Amino acid sequence: MIPIFIISDNRQHPGQVRLRESLIRHGWEYFEVEEPFQGWGYKIMRIRQLIDQYPQFERFIVMDGFDTYAVAGPGEIPESFLTTTDVIASAEKGCYPHPEKAVHFNHYFTPWRYPNAGQVFIYAPRYVALTDRIGYGIDGIDQIWHTDRAIEGETQMDWQCELFQSIAFEAPGDFTLENGRVINNVTLSRPLLLHGNGRTPLDKFYEL
């Protein structure tokens, strides 16, 4: 099974309680890493430490805790993720925090074309190779790290929203909510894990 690691500083936050309930309901194996916030770059280093702590997991998912939610279980992870040898970040509509880098992503054919660090699929050997070469100190911002790695072709994005779905900047007609699932009407995918990035409310998705 592909496990999920949740990195946050408050496992009792109402959003994380909702996330935890959804993971249990859909049969995910998960681990909550509760630690004081130490800067956005800390997560890059912490993921590397998780690889060393849990060598039995060659592939796993890392997610934020307060603003993510599961609508389906691990049995529906696309085969391409189960066999990937890449690190695959979620994709979102905003090129944050460096909008000038958006020009590097114009070849993607969906609005979700910029890396988001709030949900990432990790292939451990690839992540180790990247962090060994580039470094993984706590300075910096994980979102920038993923953006720059994608520009260099060193990591991938879930730009078809097959596993992850960013909800921020939702446009009319983006999604259909049906039978407990979210259907992306642009990519025709049925993502499993949602992210209300940019403080986007997830209330209507909690009702699924």
Side-chain angles (χ1 to χ4, degrees):
M1 181 180 291
I2 303 293
I4 291 177
F5 287 87
I6 305 162
I7 299 178
S8 75
D9 61 2
N10 179 9
R11 67 187 304 271
Q12 296 306 324
H13 184 285
Q16 188 156 330
V17 172
R18 291 270 201 170
L19 169 61
R20 186 162 56 243
E21 291 171 347
S22 73
L23 295 174
I24 293 170
R25 182 164 61 252
H26 292 291
W28 289 92
E29 180 179 12
Y30 69 93
F31 302 84
E32 293 178 282
V33 182
E34 183 182 32
E35 297 169 341
F37 179 74
Q38 299 181 49
W40 296 111
Y42 173 75
K43 193 172 10 173
I44 300 170
M45 180 182 70
R46 193 66 183 93
I47 292 171
R48 175 55 189 270
Q49 292 173 342
L50 289 173
I51 291 172
D52 294 335
Q53 287 178 254
Y54 297 89
Q56 68 270 36
F57 297 130
E58 188 175 51
R59 294 173 176 85
F60 59 90
I61 294 166
V62 176
M63 302 202 309
D64 292 347
F66 304 166
D67 56 359
T68 58
Y69 192 68
V71 293
E76 296 190 41
I77 297 175
E79 181 67 23
S80 59
F81 284 83
L82 298 176
T83 58
T84 188
T85 55
D86 282 314
V87 173
I88 306 175
S90 174
E92 65 161 300
K93 288 185 175 182
C95 189
Y96 175 83
H98 292 157
E100 68 276 9
K101 295 179 180 179
V103 296
H104 296 283
F105 299 94
N106 288 339
H107 56 291
Y108 291 98
F109 301 111
T110 79
W112 298 275
R113 63 179 65 177
Y114 310 112
N116 182 279
Q119 294 181 315
V120 182
F121 190 95
I122 302 294
Y123 176 63
R126 180 62 173 159
Y127 194 89
V128 168
L130 286 170
T131 50
D132 277 353
R133 182 172 61 80
I134 300 164
Y136 50 97
I138 65 172
D139 295 332
I141 299 176
D142 56 345
Q143 186 96 343
I144 296 174
W145 191 90
H146 281 284
T147 298
D148 291 345
R149 301 289 71 72
I151 289 172
E152 295 298 323
E154 298 171 322
T155 60
Q156 302 297 320
M157 278 188 302
D158 183 18
W159 58 275
Q160 296 187 79
C161 307
E162 294 181 295
L163 176 61
F164 303 126
Q165 181 64 67
S166 161
I167 304 300
F169 312 112
E170 178 184 356
D174 273 354
F175 309 122
T176 296
L177 309 187
E178 182 178 276
N179 297 325
R181 294 300 296 273
V182 177
I183 301 171
N184 185 314
N185 295 320
V186 178
T187 66
L188 304 182
S189 61
R190 295 163 61 89
L192 283 59
L193 301 167
L194 311 181
H195 184 197
N197 53 307
R199 301 186 183 277
T200 303
L202 289 173
D203 293 354
K204 67 180 179 181
F205 301 99
Y206 290 151
E207 298 174 2
L208 291 172

